[in-house]
Amino acid sequence: MKTWKHTIRNLAGAVALTLLHGTSIAADPLKMAWVYVGPVGDGGWTYAHDLGRKAAMAKLGDKIQTTIVESVPEGADAERVIRDLATKGNRIVFTTSFGYMEPTLKAAKSFPKAEFYHATGFKSDKNVTIYNSRMYEPAYLAGIIAGHVSKKGVLGFVASFPIPEVVRNINAYTMGARSVNPKITTKVVWVNTWYDPGKERQAAEALIGQGADVLLQNTDSSAVLQTAQDKGVNAFGWDSDMTAYAPKAHLASAIEVWGGYYTKVAEAALAGKPLKTTVWGGMKDGMNDLVSISAALSPEAKKAVAEKMTAIKSGKMMVFTGPIKGQDGSIKLAAGKSLTDKEIDSVNYYVEGVEGQLPK
Amino acid sequence: MSLQLPFRLIPRAQPSQRMLVVAPLLAVVLTLLVGLGIFAALGQNPLTAFRVFFIDPVSDIQGWSELLLKASPLCLIALGLAIGFRANIWNIGAEGQMYLGGIFATGLAIHFHETGGAWLLPAMIIAAAVGGALWAAITAALRAHLRTNEILVSLMLTYVADLLVKYLVYGPWQDPQSNNFPFTIQFGDDALFPLLASWSWLGFDTLLEGTRVNLSILMTLVAVPLAWLFMDRSFIGFQLSVAGLAPPAARYAGFSEKRLVWVALLLSGAAAGLAGVSEVAGPIGQLNDRWTPGYGFTAIIVASLGRLHVVGIVFAALLMALLYLGGEAAQIALQLPKAISQVFQGLLLMFLLGCDVLVNYRVERRRAALPVVQPVAAA
């Protein structure tokens, strides 16, 4: 009998506690969700977004509750996942790959009360806001390092899709290198995927086989960097700090920093005024950076990078400033002028020094 | 010296007919049991995880809509493949034939984007079937007349088809407003399968509000009885079965192998083409370079899981679709890794093959083959 009473009393206590606890959190946490194109363990693009999510969680604690869905294909499945997340009460949904643009727009129409944020796209709507970071800035700085390090004067670039976002990074990397050594050329291999370590590795091997000795990639894994280390050449980390994957080959990492933005979006939504403006941030805004610069670089290289980095971070320097020449040497932009954001976002040509033909 | 296992497999003279039907069900049950163990190992309450994975995805009309949307193309392709598989004609390239279906349908959709009309969608459906069949015809011609291996040819043609899609969406068919991104314009309403929810009769509009399931599932609903009639009730279906079960008998009876190869490949190609149009003119509404999650390959599993039988394939397609949805639900609700749904697919296939072996073979213990050791005589 005694034990029964105990049990009942304990149960009652537990119920009361639960109720009290329930009332003590007056407001339910803001539910936020992320849709990822790769696995969180890709060590690059998706990993960087997840670091951003964790940063927002660390900052806002139990005010937000987050959910992720990884490796979501960019076809008909994406819309279902996005809808499902919105149905499950997520008020904020980040869709973090270009291929989610149409699915996000379609799903958003059915959930007018939720806010959708699409990374790297170009179409927005009442409740669809786009955000991206100017990765061409750290790509330019990486080019400066490559210009100092390359002995053969041939750089390699493992590229995903021939879209402006990637083309401008190839251009910036080449321009950075040619600001140091005007004879440098860049070879490009397209892999037509964001994340496929096998293909990325093959592309890196092909580039090294053609004489490239400093590689950069606009793909999501660390395969290019690791291949560079295996073959005794140098390369960079991309999207996340990849030093640990190949410390000998690693020159620096061009990283995305999403934590600040995700925190801002959450805070604005918590305050009842969701962010609706397109954000295209660069190093100046703390949305990306060049980090873990190798200690083995020559003093001139270190100095050159530091100077340009300060200039970019202070807003004094724009990467795409004339004179910019096309592949055939023709003037694309006169000296003293800078490309507008719209021009940067629709660039469809290689600059001088990039070899091969841009797939059309 | 070859490795000697303590057991060997002896073919059964007469495999149990009942077990042939029970084996897939047994495989499903075994998969679920191991699945419960995996959930527990991942620190989840197995029963909760089971509910999230297998029940929640179909606990509302939204879920059923998504299930049908996913199962429908899988079922369509698998039905086509089963026709050939029964005759040992292995079309592994349904994925590529599906691309061609998508390409042919898209060609019409964007060419008649401005003019359109009620005829456009039916024309796209026919074009898609023709496109898929034409792509399969390459394999058929090579196999029937040059005796090449249809597995390799059809598989390799998938990569060609993939590049063809890429060429089109990066090139002549690219949306001029796309900023060089690889996709076509969004199709007009005339070129899209209407949503079932857009029908007001039978109260579909209120029942299905907000769902994505569209009229394309009708193609599958029509294809199921037709496939049954063809495979199990027509003479050519009989010929295909005989050719698969007993090739010499088929030859002796005078069945033309060439004809069977052509029939099997054209039909499976057409079915895959139809699956293609159901995607591009369905939930996607455009052609882009990454529109398929590999239905053409998954359908091979569906066809084998369904025992190359129409009813089996319908259930297998639904189960496969449920595994996809469950995998997503498990990620969203329990934050389990995505790989879990692939683990389930793999387990299912492994158990099915394992059960198959035991249905067709019996296990016999090997007699000890070691020489008998003679006791050493005491000195």
Side-chain angles (χ1 to χ4, degrees), chain A residues 39-119:
Chain A
V40 171
D42 69 354
W45 173 257
T46 295
Y47 180 67
H49 282 284
D50 208 49
L51 284 182
R53 174 183 72 97
K54 286 183 179 149
M57 282 168 69
K59 191 85 187 287
L60 298 168
D62 55 10
K63 281 189 227 155
I64 59 172
Q65 185 189 333
T66 67
T67 302
I68 62 167
V69 189
E70 62 180 359
S71 302
V72 176
E74 295 175 299
D77 295 295
E79 191 188 338
R80 176 182 55 253
V81 172
I82 298 165
R83 281 167 162 273
D84 208 21
L85 287 167
T87 312
K88 299 251 158 72
N90 288 289
R91 294 317 317 124
I92 308 268
V93 180
F94 296 97
T95 56
T96 62
S97 185
F98 171 73
Y100 300 146
M101 183 164 76
E102 296 294 343
T104 305
L105 290 163
K106 281 190 201 163
K109 283 199 172 52
S110 310
F111 299 94
K113 280 187 204 148
E115 291 294 328
F116 298 83
Y117 294 85
H118 177 235

XYZ file of all heavy atoms in Angstrom, chain A residues 39-119:
620
model
N 25.665 15.748 -47.106
C 25.652 15.333 -45.705
C 26.382 16.374 -44.856
O 27.276 17.058 -45.350
C 26.433 14.020 -45.731
C 27.321 14.113 -46.910
C 26.626 14.988 -47.915
N 25.988 16.480 -43.578
C 26.649 17.439 -42.692
C 28.146 17.145 -42.634
O 28.967 18.037 -42.503
C 26.023 17.355 -41.285
C 26.824 18.168 -40.300
C 24.589 17.835 -41.339
N 28.486 15.854 -42.805
C 29.885 15.462 -42.729
C 30.671 15.709 -43.997
O 31.728 15.125 -44.178
N 30.179 16.560 -44.916
C 30.945 16.789 -46.151
C 32.214 17.591 -45.884
O 33.094 17.662 -46.717
C 30.081 17.452 -47.245
C 29.704 18.896 -46.936
O 30.008 19.371 -45.823
O 29.106 19.550 -47.803
N 32.283 18.203 -44.696
C 33.475 18.961 -44.354
C 33.595 20.265 -45.113
O 34.586 20.970 -45.001
N 32.583 20.632 -45.911
C 32.661 21.845 -46.720
C 31.396 22.672 -46.625
O 31.054 23.211 -45.574
N 30.682 22.768 -47.725
C 29.520 23.646 -47.856
C 28.448 23.370 -46.804
O 28.048 24.261 -46.051
C 28.934 23.477 -49.254
C 27.643 24.174 -49.521
C 26.416 23.593 -49.566
C 27.446 25.568 -49.792
N 25.463 24.538 -49.850
C 26.070 25.752 -49.998
C 28.308 26.661 -49.871
C 25.526 27.003 -50.283
C 27.755 27.903 -50.157
C 26.383 28.063 -50.354
N 27.964 22.131 -46.752
C 26.897 21.814 -45.815
C 27.389 21.915 -44.375
O 26.685 22.410 -43.498
C 26.341 20.400 -46.114
O 25.736 20.430 -47.409
C 25.310 19.977 -45.094
N 28.616 21.483 -44.162
C 29.196 21.563 -42.829
C 29.230 23.015 -42.352
O 28.909 23.319 -41.197
C 30.603 20.968 -42.860
C 31.334 20.985 -41.547
C 30.895 20.207 -40.484
C 32.469 21.775 -41.362
C 31.567 20.226 -39.275
C 33.147 21.793 -40.154
C 32.690 21.019 -39.108
O 33.346 21.037 -37.916
N 29.572 23.936 -43.292
C 29.633 25.355 -42.925
C 28.250 25.866 -42.518
O 28.111 26.635 -41.566
C 30.188 26.180 -44.086
N 27.207 25.441 -43.249
C 25.863 25.864 -42.874
C 25.487 25.315 -41.502
O 24.826 25.980 -40.715
C 24.848 25.397 -43.921
C 24.858 26.245 -45.154
N 24.284 27.490 -45.198
C 25.412 26.042 -46.362
C 24.474 28.006 -46.396
N 25.161 27.147 -47.129
N 25.922 24.084 -41.243
C 25.567 23.494 -39.959
C 26.313 24.182 -38.817
O 25.768 24.338 -37.723
C 25.832 21.986 -39.969
C 24.900 21.269 -39.017
O 23.678 21.529 -39.087
O 25.379 20.477 -38.186
N 27.554 24.603 -39.093
C 28.266 25.394 -38.080
C 27.486 26.671 -37.799
O 27.365 27.113 -36.654
C 29.672 25.749 -38.566
C 30.729 24.649 -38.539
C 32.064 25.226 -39.006
C 30.872 24.069 -37.137
N 26.946 27.275 -38.865
C 26.152 28.496 -38.715
C 24.930 28.246 -37.853
O 24.582 29.051 -36.976
N 24.270 27.121 -38.116
C 23.082 26.770 -37.325
C 23.473 26.610 -35.851
O 22.799 27.134 -34.955
C 22.495 25.452 -37.838
C 21.350 24.919 -37.010
C 20.880 23.575 -37.542
N 21.824 22.505 -37.258
C 21.727 21.666 -36.224
N 20.726 21.759 -35.384
N 22.621 20.718 -36.036
N 24.594 25.924 -35.620
C 25.009 25.703 -34.234
C 25.376 27.024 -33.552
O 25.113 27.197 -32.361
C 26.181 24.729 -34.188
C 25.726 23.302 -34.455
C 26.863 22.316 -34.350
C 26.369 20.906 -34.600
N 27.414 20.073 -35.212
N 25.972 27.929 -34.327
C 26.320 29.226 -33.752
C 25.055 29.953 -33.317
O 25.000 30.556 -32.238
C 27.100 30.056 -34.770
N 24.008 29.893 -34.168
C 22.746 30.550 -33.807
C 22.148 29.901 -32.562
O 21.616 30.582 -31.681
C 21.770 30.472 -34.978
N 22.256 28.570 -32.469
C 21.724 27.873 -31.295
C 22.473 28.281 -30.035
O 21.879 28.495 -28.983
C 21.836 26.357 -31.486
C 20.771 25.783 -32.401
S 21.168 24.086 -32.836
C 20.938 23.285 -31.255
N 23.805 28.382 -30.167
C 24.609 28.745 -29.000
C 24.235 30.141 -28.517
O 24.189 30.421 -27.323
C 26.092 28.677 -29.352
N 23.962 31.017 -29.481
C 23.651 32.403 -29.136
C 22.250 32.532 -28.529
O 22.039 33.265 -27.575
C 23.742 33.236 -30.423
C 23.710 34.731 -30.236
C 25.093 35.283 -29.936
C 25.042 36.755 -29.568
N 24.771 37.572 -30.757
N 21.291 31.801 -29.092
C 19.897 32.053 -28.712
C 19.312 30.996 -27.782
O 18.187 31.137 -27.310
C 19.038 32.162 -29.974
C 19.443 33.328 -30.879
C 18.781 33.219 -32.224
C 19.096 34.650 -30.221
N 20.087 29.931 -27.533
C 19.661 28.931 -26.557
C 18.283 28.366 -26.831
O 17.972 28.011 -27.963
N 17.437 28.311 -25.801
C 16.153 27.637 -25.981
C 15.098 28.550 -26.599
O 13.921 28.205 -26.636
C 15.662 27.012 -24.671
C 15.595 28.025 -23.551
O 15.751 29.237 -23.846
O 15.396 27.621 -22.389
N 15.518 29.706 -27.066
C 14.555 30.540 -27.793
C 14.262 29.968 -29.171
O 13.255 30.300 -29.781
C 15.099 31.966 -27.945
C 14.932 32.797 -26.684
C 15.280 34.239 -26.975
C 16.207 34.787 -25.902
N 17.029 35.883 -26.369
N 15.184 29.147 -29.666
C 14.929 28.532 -30.967
C 15.062 27.014 -30.870
O 15.723 26.495 -29.971
C 15.892 29.045 -32.074
C 17.346 28.772 -31.696
C 15.676 30.512 -32.331
C 18.322 29.072 -32.814
N 14.396 26.360 -31.801
C 14.500 24.900 -31.865
C 14.764 24.576 -33.331
O 14.039 25.028 -34.214
C 13.182 24.293 -31.407
C 13.207 22.783 -31.328
C 11.818 22.224 -31.093
O 10.957 22.886 -30.527
N 11.595 21.017 -31.564
N 15.833 23.818 -33.600
C 16.230 23.650 -34.997
C 16.106 22.201 -35.459
O 16.211 21.274 -34.671
C 17.690 24.104 -35.220
O 18.550 23.211 -34.534
C 17.902 25.516 -34.740
N 15.869 22.052 -36.749
C 15.762 20.741 -37.383
C 16.566 20.790 -38.673
O 16.560 21.811 -39.359
C 14.297 20.450 -37.746
O 13.509 20.520 -36.573
C 14.146 19.069 -38.369
N 17.248 19.679 -38.992
C 17.936 19.639 -40.286
C 17.481 18.418 -41.089
O 17.068 17.411 -40.521
C 19.472 19.574 -40.131
C 19.885 18.294 -39.390
C 20.002 20.792 -39.432
C 21.371 18.016 -39.467
N 17.533 18.547 -42.400
C 17.347 17.390 -43.275
C 18.503 17.429 -44.262
O 18.682 18.412 -44.976
C 16.018 17.448 -44.046
C 15.777 16.122 -44.751
C 14.865 17.754 -43.119
N 19.309 16.365 -44.280
C 20.513 16.407 -45.106
C 20.346 15.599 -46.390
O 19.435 14.783 -46.510
C 21.726 15.905 -44.317
C 21.587 14.463 -43.866
C 22.784 13.944 -43.081
O 23.759 14.667 -42.882
O 22.735 12.777 -42.683
N 21.257 15.832 -47.336
C 21.294 15.092 -48.606
C 19.946 15.037 -49.295
O 19.502 13.983 -49.744
C 21.808 13.662 -48.387
O 23.078 13.682 -47.820
N 19.268 16.170 -49.386
C 17.973 16.210 -50.053
C 18.212 16.442 -51.547
O 18.829 17.439 -51.923
C 17.092 17.341 -49.496
C 15.793 17.445 -50.267
C 16.823 17.119 -48.015
N 17.767 15.512 -52.421
C 17.990 15.696 -53.857
C 17.295 16.971 -54.355
O 16.273 17.372 -53.807
C 17.352 14.456 -54.497
C 17.078 13.515 -53.386
C 16.990 14.306 -52.132
N 17.855 17.544 -55.425
C 17.323 18.827 -55.900
C 16.200 18.643 -56.908
O 15.917 19.518 -57.693
C 18.463 19.665 -56.490
C 19.488 20.054 -55.444
C 20.693 20.780 -56.024
O 21.387 20.179 -56.863
O 20.930 21.928 -55.644
N 15.530 17.491 -56.903
C 14.405 17.269 -57.810
C 13.081 17.437 -57.100
O 12.907 18.335 -56.274
N 12.134 16.534 -57.424
C 10.786 16.669 -56.883
C 10.737 16.440 -55.379
O 9.775 16.833 -54.726
C 9.857 15.675 -57.581
N 11.765 15.793 -54.811
C 11.749 15.514 -53.381
C 11.902 16.778 -52.541
O 11.380 16.860 -51.441
C 12.887 14.560 -53.012
C 12.703 13.206 -53.655
O 11.736 12.534 -53.303
O 13.512 12.854 -54.520
N 12.629 17.748 -53.083
C 12.939 18.926 -52.287
C 11.666 19.632 -51.835
O 11.524 20.013 -50.678
C 13.818 19.875 -53.096
N 10.710 19.764 -52.763
C 9.493 20.497 -52.402
C 8.759 19.792 -51.269
O 8.218 20.424 -50.375
C 8.575 20.649 -53.624
C 7.446 21.630 -53.360
C 6.420 21.650 -54.489
O 6.753 21.264 -55.620
O 5.270 22.035 -54.204
N 8.736 18.455 -51.320
C 8.047 17.721 -50.256
C 8.703 17.977 -48.904
O 8.030 18.221 -47.911
C 8.044 16.222 -50.537
C 7.409 15.448 -49.396
C 7.409 13.960 -49.600
N 8.723 13.428 -49.843
C 9.146 12.998 -51.011
N 8.357 13.015 -52.051
N 10.360 12.540 -51.150
N 10.049 17.930 -48.886
C 10.760 18.133 -47.624
C 10.471 19.531 -47.087
O 10.178 19.705 -45.900
C 12.276 17.925 -47.827
C 13.047 18.320 -46.587
C 12.567 16.475 -48.188
N 10.509 20.522 -47.985
C 10.283 21.899 -47.540
C 8.864 22.053 -47.002
O 8.633 22.638 -45.934
C 10.541 22.884 -48.710
C 11.997 22.776 -49.160
C 10.216 24.305 -48.302
C 12.280 23.414 -50.504
N 7.894 21.496 -47.728
C 6.502 21.558 -47.269
C 6.339 20.862 -45.926
O 5.658 21.356 -45.028
C 5.596 20.836 -48.269
C 5.272 21.638 -49.486
C 4.647 20.722 -50.518
N 3.952 21.505 -51.502
C 2.695 21.905 -51.383
N 1.971 21.559 -50.353
N 2.147 22.655 -52.311
N 6.976 19.704 -45.825
C 6.850 18.917 -44.612
C 7.372 19.701 -43.416
O 6.758 19.722 -42.352
C 7.656 17.619 -44.807
C 7.086 16.494 -43.991
O 5.905 16.594 -43.618
O 7.813 15.528 -43.715
N 8.502 20.357 -43.616
C 9.082 21.133 -42.519
C 8.148 22.265 -42.119
O 7.954 22.540 -40.937
C 10.448 21.679 -42.933
C 11.553 20.615 -43.003
C 12.775 21.154 -43.724
C 11.932 20.148 -41.602
N 7.553 22.915 -43.124
C 6.633 24.017 -42.817
C 5.389 23.480 -42.111
O 4.887 24.084 -41.154
C 6.259 24.755 -44.096
N 4.894 22.322 -42.558
C 3.725 21.718 -41.914
C 4.008 21.382 -40.459
O 3.146 21.505 -39.603
C 3.324 20.415 -42.649
O 3.291 20.679 -44.042
C 1.987 19.912 -42.184
N 5.253 20.979 -40.175
C 5.598 20.589 -38.809
C 5.851 21.803 -37.925
O 6.426 21.664 -36.843
C 6.839 19.692 -38.829
C 6.643 18.405 -39.615
C 6.586 17.175 -38.734
C 5.885 16.010 -39.401
N 6.668 15.406 -40.484
N 5.488 22.976 -38.400
C 5.535 24.146 -37.530
C 6.801 24.964 -37.598
O 7.005 25.858 -36.779
N 7.671 24.686 -38.567
C 8.858 25.527 -38.692
C 8.470 26.859 -39.320
O 7.916 26.887 -40.415
C 9.930 24.819 -39.521
C 10.551 23.674 -38.767
O 11.306 23.872 -37.822
N 10.183 22.451 -39.139
N 8.751 27.948 -38.622
C 8.378 29.277 -39.105
C 9.446 29.826 -40.035
O 9.218 30.752 -40.788
C 8.171 30.257 -37.948
C 7.054 30.017 -37.016
C 5.723 29.619 -37.362
N 4.712 29.886 -38.279
C 4.135 28.946 -39.074
N 4.639 27.768 -39.191
N 3.093 29.214 -39.788
N 10.666 29.310 -39.898
C 11.790 29.756 -40.735
C 12.387 28.520 -41.389
O 12.710 27.561 -40.702
C 12.888 30.402 -39.864
C 12.309 31.486 -38.966
C 14.036 30.879 -40.724
C 12.346 32.854 -39.532
N 12.534 28.549 -42.705
C 13.160 27.415 -43.381
C 14.273 27.938 -44.289
O 14.026 28.797 -45.141
C 12.143 26.616 -44.221
C 12.831 25.449 -44.919
C 10.996 26.102 -43.349
N 15.488 27.446 -44.071
C 16.613 27.801 -44.934
C 16.831 26.669 -45.940
O 16.977 25.511 -45.538
C 17.897 27.977 -44.118
C 17.837 29.107 -43.136
C 17.527 28.873 -41.805
C 18.086 30.405 -43.552
C 17.468 29.914 -40.898
C 18.035 31.458 -42.646
C 17.720 31.219 -41.314
N 16.836 26.997 -47.213
C 17.120 25.980 -48.226
C 18.462 26.353 -48.839
O 18.604 27.399 -49.457
C 16.013 25.925 -49.288
O 15.838 27.220 -49.864
C 14.701 25.510 -48.661
N 19.451 25.482 -48.644
C 20.834 25.917 -48.826
C 21.500 25.411 -50.088
O 22.688 25.141 -50.083
C 21.678 25.498 -47.615
O 21.659 24.067 -47.549
C 21.125 26.053 -46.337
N 20.724 25.250 -51.169
C 21.410 24.949 -52.414
C 20.646 25.571 -53.569
O 19.429 25.727 -53.506
C 21.537 23.445 -52.622
O 22.311 23.207 -53.781
N 21.390 25.875 -54.638
C 20.752 26.566 -55.751
C 19.545 25.816 -56.295
O 18.516 26.400 -56.611
C 21.753 26.825 -56.881
C 21.039 27.335 -58.061
C 20.562 28.625 -58.060
C 20.725 26.505 -59.127
C 19.813 29.083 -59.108
C 19.979 26.967 -60.169
C 19.522 28.261 -60.166
N 19.653 24.486 -56.395
C 18.595 23.689 -57.011
C 17.280 23.708 -56.249
O 16.270 23.215 -56.739
N 17.279 24.287 -55.049
C 16.038 24.364 -54.276
C 15.235 25.618 -54.616
O 14.222 25.892 -53.982
C 16.333 24.370 -52.772
C 17.071 23.153 -52.263
C 17.989 23.259 -51.218
C 16.844 21.902 -52.814
C 18.663 22.143 -50.740
C 17.519 20.782 -52.338
C 18.427 20.915 -51.308
O 19.090 19.819 -50.838
N 15.674 26.382 -55.613
C 15.018 27.676 -55.861
C 13.550 27.504 -56.221
O 12.675 28.045 -55.537
C 15.757 28.436 -56.960
C 15.187 29.820 -57.215
S 16.310 30.863 -58.148
C 16.123 30.187 -59.776
N 13.255 26.738 -57.280
C 11.850 26.573 -57.680
C 11.034 25.848 -56.603
O 9.935 26.273 -56.286
C 11.752 25.867 -59.036
C 12.358 26.645 -60.208
C 11.619 27.945 -60.537
O 10.468 28.106 -60.088
O 12.209 28.803 -61.224
N 11.558 24.731 -56.061
C 10.788 24.074 -54.991
C 10.485 25.001 -53.817
O 9.387 24.957 -53.257
C 11.702 22.928 -54.548
C 12.589 22.663 -55.702
C 12.756 23.965 -56.424
N 11.444 25.858 -53.458
C 11.207 26.769 -52.340
C 10.099 27.751 -52.693
O 9.184 27.998 -51.895
C 12.502 27.549 -52.002
O 13.542 26.620 -51.763
C 12.308 28.418 -50.778
N 10.168 28.297 -53.915
C 9.146 29.258 -54.332
C 7.767 28.607 -54.339
O 6.777 29.198 -53.893
C 9.472 29.802 -55.726
C 10.687 30.734 -55.785
C 11.184 30.880 -57.214
C 10.336 32.098 -55.204
N 7.717 27.349 -54.845
C 6.426 26.669 -54.914
C 5.870 26.392 -53.520
O 4.697 26.640 -53.245
C 6.576 25.349 -55.675
C 6.620 25.502 -57.179
C 6.512 24.115 -57.817
C 7.042 24.112 -59.234
N 7.312 22.753 -59.692
N 6.722 25.858 -52.656
C 6.258 25.507 -51.311
C 5.838 26.758 -50.553
O 4.841 26.759 -49.827
C 7.356 24.760 -50.552
N 6.600 27.840 -50.746
C 6.342 29.061 -49.975
C 4.944 29.598 -50.238
O 4.318 30.182 -49.347
C 7.394 30.115 -50.309
N 4.440 29.391 -51.450
C 3.108 29.895 -51.783
C 2.042 29.278 -50.886
O 1.028 29.909 -50.591
C 2.789 29.577 -53.246
C 3.498 30.508 -54.199
C 2.825 30.478 -55.574
C 3.382 31.537 -56.498
N 4.828 31.540 -56.627
N 2.263 28.015 -50.439
C 1.258 27.345 -49.606
C 1.384 27.706 -48.133
O 0.527 27.346 -47.346
C 1.391 25.830 -49.738
O 1.434 25.449 -51.080
N 2.479 28.355 -47.754
C 2.685 28.639 -46.333
C 2.997 30.121 -46.128
O 4.121 30.479 -45.782
C 3.809 27.774 -45.766
C 3.523 26.306 -45.856
C 3.972 25.564 -46.940
C 2.777 25.675 -44.883
C 3.697 24.214 -47.026
C 2.496 24.323 -44.963
C 2.952 23.589 -46.041
N 1.997 30.982 -46.335
C 2.262 32.420 -46.281
C 2.761 32.895 -44.917
O 3.383 33.942 -44.825
C 0.897 33.043 -46.617
C -0.106 31.964 -46.400
C 0.594 30.676 -46.647
N 2.521 32.103 -43.862
C 2.933 32.577 -42.534
C 4.378 32.215 -42.218
O 4.941 32.701 -41.251
C 2.026 31.979 -41.462
C 0.704 32.715 -41.355
C -0.076 32.186 -40.168
C -1.560 32.424 -40.360
N -2.352 31.358 -39.728
N 4.967 31.320 -43.002
C 6.356 30.946 -42.749
C 7.271 31.793 -43.628
O 6.849 32.325 -44.650
C 6.558 29.463 -43.042
N 8.518 31.930 -43.191
C 9.507 32.672 -43.981
C 10.532 31.684 -44.526
O 11.036 30.826 -43.799
C 10.221 33.706 -43.107
C 9.338 34.853 -42.660
C 8.881 35.730 -43.828
O 9.644 35.855 -44.806
O 7.761 36.273 -43.747
N 10.827 31.825 -45.821
C 11.774 30.922 -46.461
C 12.999 31.719 -46.898
O 12.864 32.824 -47.425
C 11.126 30.235 -47.663
C 9.954 29.377 -47.269
C 8.699 29.943 -47.086
C 10.113 28.024 -47.043
C 7.621 29.166 -46.691
C 9.042 27.241 -46.650
C 7.790 27.811 -46.473
N 14.169 31.154 -46.660
C 15.414 31.806 -47.040
C 16.189 30.868 -47.946
O 16.509 29.741 -47.554
C 16.223 32.162 -45.784
C 15.516 33.208 -44.945
C 14.548 32.838 -44.021
C 15.789 34.558 -45.118
C 13.868 33.789 -43.282
C 15.120 35.527 -44.382
C 14.156 35.130 -43.463
O 13.488 36.083 -42.742
N 16.444 31.333 -49.161
C 17.109 30.468 -50.132
C 18.514 30.977 -50.418
O 18.698 32.122 -50.810
C 16.285 30.409 -51.427
C 16.947 29.592 -52.486
N 17.212 30.083 -53.738
C 17.433 28.336 -52.464
C 17.826 29.144 -54.443
N 17.967 28.078 -53.695
N 19.493 30.095 -50.202
C 20.879 30.489 -50.431
C 21.230 30.351 -51.903
O 20.900 29.343 -52.523
C 21.826 29.637 -49.588
